[in-house]
């Protein structure tokens, strides 16, 4: 459960290599999406790596809390 939740949350990070990037561009106005798309496409992988290392504690706290809620712990 924990591993699947981690993958779900990580995949929803709003950066273009991930599915969250697609969702981000769907909800932004067209002009803003076209301005933001090249920047995120260029630095997307760096952002993903930074979030993985710097935001791991926040993401893991959320994942373990949500997993505990799902399994009734």
């Amino acid at each position: 459960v924990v591993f699947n939740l981690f993958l779900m949350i990580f995949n929803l990070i709003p950066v273009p290599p991930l599915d969250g990037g697609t969702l981000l561009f769907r909800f932004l106005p067209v002009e803003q999406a076209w301005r933001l798309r090249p920047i995120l496409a260029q630095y997307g992988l760096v952002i993903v790596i930074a979030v993985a290392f710097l935001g791991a504690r926040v993401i893991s706290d959320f994942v373990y809390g949500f997993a505990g809620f799902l399994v009734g712990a």
Side-chain angles (χ1 to χ4, degrees):
V1 172
V2 171
F3 187 71
N4 283 330
L5 285 173
F6 175 76
L7 287 176
M8 178 191 74
I9 292 169
F10 188 77
N11 199 26
L12 289 176
I13 295 172
V15 179
L18 304 173
D19 291 336
T22 304
L23 290 173
L24 174 69
F25 295 134
R26 299 263 185 219
F27 289 113
L28 285 176
V30 176
E31 290 181 16
Q32 191 174 10
W34 279 105
R35 278 188 268 133
L36 191 59
R37 188 181 305 265
I39 296 168
L40 287 178
Q42 183 176 3
Y43 298 111
L45 186 60
V46 174
I47 294 170
V48 168
I49 292 171
V51 167
F53 284 111
L54 300 175
R57 181 70 178 158
V58 174
I59 293 172
S60 68
D61 288 344
F62 179 76
V63 167
Y64 281 108
F66 193 60
F69 171 75
L70 287 178
V71 297

